[in-house]
Amino acid sequence: MVALATQARHFGLMSAMAQSFADANEDLAPTDYRALVCVYLSGGNDGNNMVIPNHNSTTGGISNYAAYNAARGTQGLAIAQTDLLSINVPRVGGLAYGLHKNLGTMVGRTDIADTNGNLGGTRNAGIYDLWAAGKFAVVPNVGNLVAPMTRAQYQANTVQRPYQLFSHSDQTEQQQTAQSARRAFTGWGGRVADARDIPDNPGALVPMITSISGSQLFTNGQVTSPLTLPSGSTPLANALVLQGYGTDSISVARRTGLNGLRTVDTSQRVIAAASHITDQAVSASVALSANPQEVTVIFPTTGIGNQLKQVARIIKKRTDLSIKRQIFFVSIGGFDTHTGQVSGIAQGQNALFIQLGQALRAFYDEMTAQAISDGVTTFTISDFGRTLIPAGTGTGIVGSDHAWGNHAFVMGGAVRGGDFYGVNSSNGTPFPTLTAGGPDDTDGGTAPRGRWIPTTSVDQYAATLSKWYGLPDTQQATVFPNIGNYSVANLGFMNP
């Protein structure tokens, strides 16, 4: 239980005294509640099939559906234009783009419960209608960067590239650490918690940062220790239980012995740190077990649905836990779609988008039911995007390969939704030019694949989220060491 709860390897107590803050006003505890929920799309989501041009305009080199279909249609990877969920994008001249249809209402599915908990029938509306409601935005062509980079600079190698481009493990690390110049051993979520846990959550009964997806680099801090919990299939009251400790005399004696051991040799720093971690785990166990809170919205019983359900339960207990700021990590795997990407409505990436859209919408609706939607922002990251040019040919076979720049979703009541955000690419919009070998592609030669050079960095994306969360400008460079390389640190997709 102790290892699961706090990942003892960090021994955060030993460096706790190193915490300092630049401005006394930044130490005032907030009066409102805010949470960031990171949804990791593990394996490298193909953003080219998630957000697609749905217009015919060719003004200023802006890619249209014909350009997308020309690259992907012959080999069977393109999504039919009639299947797109159309969205209007003010920052691209009001032109129409489209979301993958499985991010909207699902009808007749027998593997996902509807809003009444019944199998079959109509599911919720997915996240599609949150676009028109202004609660959902897209950050196109975002990725790992050390500094801004053009195609010419990439090909001439005059700007430092992220290390080990196109590698799953290395690009995952950089997405979760927001450090692409070198290896890092703390995540940007963990570093935000390092900076803000003490001033923002005085007296909190659980750590600021929680993973519902096991031990993750994103959650690792230098000072703070994350909490790791099982998904929503386990009731929150049972998520951290001291196994074998009942109310009988033997159990009471065992618990007394455990408590006594934690007071021995605490003058030794390593032992004191281990005892402190155990104390945190025991305190968290007691706090989570008391006054159980259950969600009112029906969540899908998928992996991502159950993870977000557990997050929703914890948020509902925020007052009991005496906590004002929280960061969560959940994940959904299977996005490494080299083959079988569009095998059928319920296979490959198609199936993953059903799970993602339905779970995100259930979570948003639960936050609305809790009257806290303005204080909870959910966002996606992934290893990398995938090549515009398909790998293989034919239904059940065709897929895509590792690439770079990708599209991300941001959802919540505080989001300035219904638009694209980010730094403009070569065509004057945040959306890349969908041309293999074109102005946003890394590749040249006779067989370019369409690997987009990001125009917006993970640093900028994460810094925008963190600023809304409460990270002051004076601490941005500490959490995001390369943020000074960019002229724009706040992309503007969050309301204050």
Side-chain angles (χ1 to χ4, degrees):
M1 181 274 293
V2 172
L4 191 67
T6 56
Q7 303 178 63
R9 67 182 183 278
H10 298 302
F11 292 112
L13 182 64
M14 290 186 284
S15 55
M17 296 306 293
Q19 183 71 44
S20 63
F21 303 97
D23 191 303
N25 291 331
E26 294 165 7
D27 293 351
L28 297 177
T31 57
D32 62 345
Y33 175 86
R34 293 192 179 188
L36 289 172
V37 182
C38 176
V39 180
Y40 196 77
L41 312 182
S42 180
N45 174 49
D46 186 353
N48 291 316
N49 268 12
M50 183 171 75
V51 184
I52 301 165
N54 191 29
H55 58 82
N56 298 317
S57 173
T58 57
T59 303
I62 296 175
S63 293
N64 58 16
Y65 181 82
Y68 160 82
N69 191 56
R72 295 195 145 194
T74 302
Q75 291 167 260
L77 189 58
I79 305 299
Q81 191 169 12
T82 54
D83 284 340
L84 298 180
L85 303 173
S86 189
I87 56 174
N88 289 323
V89 184
R91 289 195 71 197
V92 191
L95 293 175
Y97 282 71
L99 302 179
H100 192 289
K101 66 178 181 179
N102 287 4
L103 294 168
T105 302
M106 299 304 301
V107 179
R109 300 298 305 155
T110 59
D111 55 344
I112 302 175
D114 64 18
T115 53
N116 295 315
N118 302 312
L119 296 177
T122 301
R123 312 295 162 254
N124 66 41
I127 58 174
Y128 171 52
D129 66 348
L130 297 180
W131 183 272
K135 307 301 181 185
F136 159 43
V138 170
V139 182
N141 202 21
V142 60
N144 302 323
L145 288 169
V146 178
M149 180 185 295
T150 65
R151 171 179 164 88
Q153 290 169 330
Y154 174 86
Q155 293 186 338
N157 202 22
T158 55
V159 173
Q160 184 180 357
R161 301 176 181 179
Y163 64 89
Q164 296 294 334
L165 272 174
F166 317 127
S167 153
H168 278 297
S169 59
D170 296 291
Q171 300 310 294
T172 293
E173 284 184 7
Q174 292 167 51
Q175 287 279 332
Q176 296 191 22
T177 65
Q179 292 197 48
S180 298
R182 58 180 177 80
R183 297 290 299 277
F185 300 96
T186 57
W188 67 261
R191 295 197 300 275
V192 171
D194 283 348
R196 302 312 306 166
D197 194 18
I198 293 174
D200 288 351
N201 289 332
L205 300 180
V206 294
M208 174 178 279
I209 193 163
T210 300
S211 172
I212 316 294
S213 185
S215 176
Q216 298 289 339
L217 182 55
F218 175 84
T219 67
N220 290 352
Q222 181 109 23
V223 175
T224 55
S225 299
L227 184 70
T228 303
L229 297 175
S231 74
S233 56
T234 300
L236 191 57
N238 298 333
L240 276 180
V241 177
L242 284 168
Q243 297 296 328
Y245 289 81
T247 58
D248 60 281
S249 59
I250 294 176
S251 294
V252 171
R254 292 175 64 213
R255 184 185 292 274
T256 301
L258 176 63
N259 292 339
L261 282 172
R262 300 204 308 275
T263 67
V264 176
D265 289 336
T266 54
S267 60
Q268 304 296 318
R269 296 176 71 183
V270 172
I271 294 176
S275 295
H276 174 68
I277 288 171
T278 306
D279 287 338
Q280 285 184 307
V282 172
S283 297
S285 174
V286 172
L288 293 173
S289 299
N291 188 26
Q293 298 288 329
E294 192 50 84
V295 297
T296 57
V297 170
I298 301 296
F299 279 72
T301 55
T302 55
I304 187 63
N306 280 328
Q307 290 176 61
L308 286 171
K309 182 178 183 179
Q310 196 74 298
V311 172
R313 286 171 174 161
I314 298 170
I315 291 174
K316 197 166 186 177
K317 277 183 63 68
R318 59 192 179 275
T319 301
D320 291 348
L321 300 174
S322 300
I323 198 161
K324 295 292 187 180
R325 293 289 186 270
Q326 289 187 279
I327 301 172
F328 298 94
F329 184 97
V330 300
S331 68
I332 171 174
F335 286 95
D336 192 20
T337 51
H338 290 279
T339 60
Q341 184 170 319
V342 289
S343 300
I345 187 65
Q347 280 100 31
Q349 189 189 40
N350 294 337
L352 295 173
F353 282 161
I354 294 174
Q355 296 176 39
L356 180 66
Q358 298 292 300
L360 286 176
R361 182 53 185 268
F363 182 74
Y364 178 85
D365 288 347
E366 175 62 28
M367 294 302 96
T368 301
Q370 293 186 26
I372 197 65
S373 63
D374 287 352
V376 180
T377 299
T378 307
F379 63 96
T380 66
I381 58 176
S382 190
D383 315 23
F384 38 58
R386 305 190 78 84
T387 55
L388 176 69
I389 302 304
T393 300
T395 301
I397 298 173
V398 68
S400 52
D401 292 330
H402 301 182
W404 194 357
N406 204 355
H407 310 322
F409 287 167
V410 188
M411 179 189 77
V415 174
R416 291 172 173 157
D419 213 344
F420 288 173
Y421 292 87
V423 179
N424 288 346
S425 69
S426 60
N427 58 35
T429 80
F431 204 83
T433 299
L434 301 184
T435 302
D440 294 317
D441 191 1
T442 62
D443 296 341
T446 58
R449 301 295 309 280
R451 293 182 170 99
W452 315 133
I453 301 170
T455 45
T456 299
S457 72
V458 171
D459 312 61
Q460 294 166 293
Y461 180 51
T464 304
L465 291 162
S466 299
K467 184 174 179 62
W468 169 83
Y469 181 73
L471 184 71
D473 292 341
T474 54
Q475 294 179 319
Q476 290 280 343
T478 300
V479 176
F480 305 107
N482 293 323
I483 196 65
N485 294 341
Y486 305 93
S487 59
V488 176
N490 187 344
L491 301 176
F493 57 75
M494 299 299 301
N495 286 307

